[in-house]
Amino acid sequence: MTQSHGVSINAPMHSGYEQILTTEALALVAKLHHEFEPRRQQLLASRAARAKRLDAGERPDFLADTAHVRKGHWTIAPLPADLQRRRVEITGPVERKMVINALNSGADSYMTDFEDSNAPNWDNQVTGQINLMEAIRRDISLQQGGKSYALNEKVAVIIVRPRGWHLDEKHVLVDGQRVSGGIFDFALYMFHNAKELLARGSGPYFYLPKMESHLEARLWNDIFIATQNELGVPVGTIKATVLIETILAAFEMDEILYELRQHSAGLNAGRWDYIFSCIKKFKVDKNFVLADRASVTMTAPFMRAYALLLLATCHKRNAPAIGGMSALIPIKNDSEKNETAMAGVRTDKQRDAVDGYDGGWVAHPGLVPIAMEQFVKVLGDRPNQIDKKRDDVKVGAGDLLNFAPETPITEAGLRMNVNVGIHYLGSWLAGNGCVPIHNLMEDAATAEISRSQVWQWIRSPKGVLEDGRKVTAEMLRALIPEELKKIKAAVGPESPTYDHAARIFEKMSTQDDFAEFLTLPLYEEIA
């Protein structure tokens, strides 16, 4: 199907899609593509060049040429009223039932996800836009399994996460070239909803993922300005929170806030992608290794340094600091395990609140009251604690690069990586990007940890199990059929995608080349 403005859609136009994929909305996508796609490609090329330098032994540090930004006395623009209270944010994909339940959850805001917890097939991306359009106008409802779902009077504030810079939207071409998935998600949401949100006393709010530099933030800021001007919306209306989920972005947090200062709504400590980023960036360093995923917590030295630096940086600039995801979820039919999980959530949110964070993430509506309780204990009736400046925090490059713990690496940890990786990939290929596995809510970030750890353990001289055995490709190949059998027993026999997922996981873990993101090759396999 060909539209004007050089836009063509090589995907089905199902009933209802026409309300989203209008000529005018696609014209905005095309305009942004024409103006900004060359810069996106330049920035992706810069990422690749930086990765090669890191593989050759370069180590990141704070930038000398932006020292004036870090030392300057500036703050972000004032926050709108409905972004000042974000004590608990629930996250989840743009699937209809999830949208309704998340908005009704009692959370202050809802990180509405077109990215890591959403498998980006064509149907999910377009129906997600329809769901949000109806939710904003309070027209959304669902009849399913004998139940009726509709919005409560009071709902969470919507904050949309478009896809990262590395992802394309393969179904939409402009002059024969794929558009950026992030620009596609952002432009459609803005075109259909920005003025409606303003009329309802809110605004278009975003979460920006996977950035590695302040220049990538500058690109988003320029897109914001161009889009607001194009739509006749006041510049500064858009507000965006940046996920600091790469080790390189951690060295440029001040600069990222500065680039977006007119549009900034703070930073978030995206912990799971951050761990993956550390493994990815130092994967060939013979001195680098991380222990089992379960042992790499927010109290690990490099994670603690990152969390405190983010907090201090945000509050210095009058910006919200939002804590990351506790992946634990309620456990039915086992009260003892459930209480252990809930205690983990309490501890996690208590640490964030006491440190000075203004809020934190949960992945399940059942966790909202537990997380809220911890922030209310510290904040009381105050919407945030941005006045807690944390001038005592002193974090240097060595602290951010103090990777520990290195042990234990266990067979159980290796098996868990294999199991989670295959299970998640199988679900993702089937169209579900947010999957409860072993009482944790897994998304693309946690699957990335699984496959990158296995890849790195196989190659690192430190990739040795606590019983003395070296992790090898042969060991992995022996474990995969055993874990695949367990997965099939858990999900049922009708699961053809899991055999394919197992082959993909084995290939990605054993091949010489390290795939930058597992979703890049996988995206070519989904409709």
Side-chain angles (χ1 to χ4, degrees):
M1 172 186 161
T2 302
Q3 293 263 350
S4 56
H5 308 285
V7 179
S8 60
I9 297 175
N10 54 356
M13 284 290 289
H14 297 304
S15 176
Y17 284 20
E18 71 282 349
Q19 64 184 306
I20 293 294
L21 300 170
T22 64
T23 300
E24 296 79 10
L26 291 172
L28 177 60
V29 173
K31 182 180 179 64
L32 295 176
H33 173 86
H34 285 134
E35 188 169 349
F36 296 107
E37 179 63 11
R39 278 176 60 189
R40 179 176 80 108
Q41 293 301 331
Q42 289 169 2
L43 289 166
L44 292 175
S46 295
R47 280 190 187 182
R50 183 85 184 273
K52 286 183 179 178
R53 297 199 303 273
L54 291 169
D55 283 350
E58 180 181 287
R59 285 295 168 265
D61 203 344
F62 298 97
L63 303 179
D65 59 355
T66 56
H68 64 285
V69 173
R70 295 192 297 280
K71 293 174 183 175
H73 299 288
W74 52 270
T75 61
I76 68 166
L79 296 165
D82 59 347
L83 284 184
Q84 292 182 18
R85 183 182 296 265
R86 296 165 63 186
R87 296 162 301 179
V88 179
E89 295 190 338
I90 191 168
T91 76
V94 285
E95 182 266 330
R96 181 166 285 247
K97 182 179 173 183
M98 178 70 205
V99 168
I100 297 170
N101 286 344
L103 289 171
N104 288 343
S105 66
D108 292 314
S109 37
Y110 164 33
M111 196 283 289
T112 318
D113 197 13
F114 284 96
E115 209 226 10
D116 265 7
S117 67
N118 174 66
N121 63 41
W122 178 240
D123 189 57
N124 285 348
Q125 296 305 124
V126 181
T127 59
Q129 293 280 353
I130 294 170
N131 293 340
L132 294 187
M133 194 170 165
E134 292 181 7
I136 288 163
R137 290 157 180 81
R138 303 189 67 89
D139 294 333
I140 192 169
S141 61
L142 177 66
Q143 303 290 323
Q144 189 180 85
K147 293 183 178 180
S148 297
Y149 299 86
L151 293 182
N152 296 339
E153 185 63 31
K154 186 179 187 312
V155 295
V157 175
I158 292 175
I159 310 179
V160 170
R161 177 161 72 171
R163 282 169 283 183
W165 283 136
H166 61 292
L167 293 168
D168 295 339
E169 176 46 68
K170 67 181 180 181
H171 303 97
V172 179
L173 308 179
V174 174
D175 300 332
Q177 183 183 32
R178 288 182 178 183
V179 301
S180 154
I183 285 178
F184 178 79
D185 301 336
F186 163 80
L188 292 181
Y189 182 75
M190 280 294 294
F191 182 86
H192 291 294
N193 302 302
K195 290 179 179 176
E196 183 71 26
L197 285 161
L198 287 170
R200 291 172 178 270
S202 186
Y205 307 143
F206 296 92
Y207 257 110
L208 305 178
K210 303 289 188 296
M211 282 196 274
E212 296 192 4
S213 79
H214 69 285
L215 297 180
E216 296 181 14
R218 182 180 297 171
L219 175 57
W220 268 121
N221 196 70
D222 289 347
I223 289 170
F224 291 168
I225 292 170
T227 304
Q228 289 165 131
N229 287 335
E230 181 70 16
L231 296 179
V233 173
V235 172
T237 296
I238 292 171
K239 297 297 179 186
T241 308
V242 172
L243 289 137
I244 302 298
E245 50 189 357
T246 70
I247 180 70
L248 300 181
F251 286 90
E252 301 184 33
M253 289 193 275
D254 260 313
E255 292 89 336
I256 287 168
L257 284 175
Y258 183 78
E259 293 293 343
L260 286 159
R261 62 195 181 279
Q262 193 175 18
H263 298 106
S264 179
L267 305 176
N268 173 288
R271 61 181 72 174
W272 304 117
D273 263 302
Y274 192 81
I275 294 170
F276 162 56
S277 171
C278 294
I279 299 168
K280 177 167 65 173
K281 295 304 182 188
F282 306 115
K283 60 187 179 294
V284 299
D285 183 344
K286 289 181 167 48
N287 294 313
F288 173 91
V289 76
L290 286 177
D292 289 353
R293 170 187 157 189
S295 299
V296 185
T297 68
M298 291 304 292
T299 60
F302 73 108
M303 297 299 287
R304 187 72 181 142
Y306 144 73
L308 289 174
L309 180 60
L310 186 149
L311 170 60
T313 302
C314 282
H315 285 187
K316 181 179 180 181
R317 308 304 181 185
N318 289 347
I322 307 298
M325 171 69 72
S326 176
L328 296 158
I329 55 176
I331 302 170
K332 297 177 180 177
N333 308 320
D334 191 326
S335 58
E336 190 173 332
K337 280 188 178 178
N338 186 62
E339 183 45 48
T340 300
M342 297 307 97
V345 176
R346 282 189 203 96
T347 299
D348 186 68
K349 302 312 169 192
Q350 180 187 51
R351 181 183 56 253
D352 278 352
V354 170
D355 281 346
Y357 273 82
D358 304 295
W361 276 13
V362 297
H364 191 285
L367 300 179
V368 171
I370 293 170
M372 188 70 77
E373 180 185 19
Q374 299 309 312
F375 281 99
V376 170
K377 277 183 184 177
V378 173
L379 274 74
D381 291 333
R382 292 179 298 151
N384 58 60
Q385 49 185 338
I386 293 172
D387 58 340
K388 187 171 183 174
K389 296 301 183 187
R390 293 309 306 263
D391 296 329
D392 58 308
V393 171
K394 308 295 179 192
V395 172
D399 301 307
L400 292 174
L401 300 173
N402 182 14
F403 298 115
E406 295 186 347
T407 58
I409 300 172
T410 67
E411 181 178 325
L414 175 60
R415 284 182 178 275
M416 180 64 77
N417 279 343
V418 173
N419 190 290
V420 168
I422 294 171
H423 193 158
Y424 181 80
L425 288 177
S427 297
W428 194 93
L429 288 167
N432 182 12
C434 187
V435 191
I437 306 174
H438 306 306
N439 304 317
L440 296 173
M441 191 63 80
E442 306 284 1
D443 68 5
T446 48
E448 293 281 29
I449 294 173
S450 295
R451 66 98 183 182
S452 61
Q453 272 205 317
V454 173
W455 190 97
Q456 207 260 338
W457 285 346
I458 288 172
R459 286 156 184 79
S460 171
K462 292 185 174 183
V464 179
L465 301 182
E466 60 179 354
D467 61 13
R469 287 178 294 157
K470 176 74 182 75
V471 180
T472 63
E474 292 71 26
M475 181 186 291
L476 172 67
R477 292 188 180 105
L479 294 180
I480 283 175
E482 298 174 17
E483 295 306 314
L484 181 58
K485 186 177 179 181
K486 294 176 189 175
I487 293 165
K488 288 185 172 182
V491 300
E494 299 300 318
S495 50
T497 57
Y498 293 101
D499 291 299
H500 186 41
R503 291 190 292 271
I504 293 170
F505 188 85
E506 179 186 338
K507 180 182 178 182
M508 294 188 85
S509 300
T510 57
Q511 67 189 13
D512 290 337
D513 292 335
F514 183 88
E516 182 75 1
F517 292 95
L518 65 82
T519 47
L520 288 175
L522 286 182
Y523 183 53
E524 304 308 320
E525 301 196 19
I526 61 175

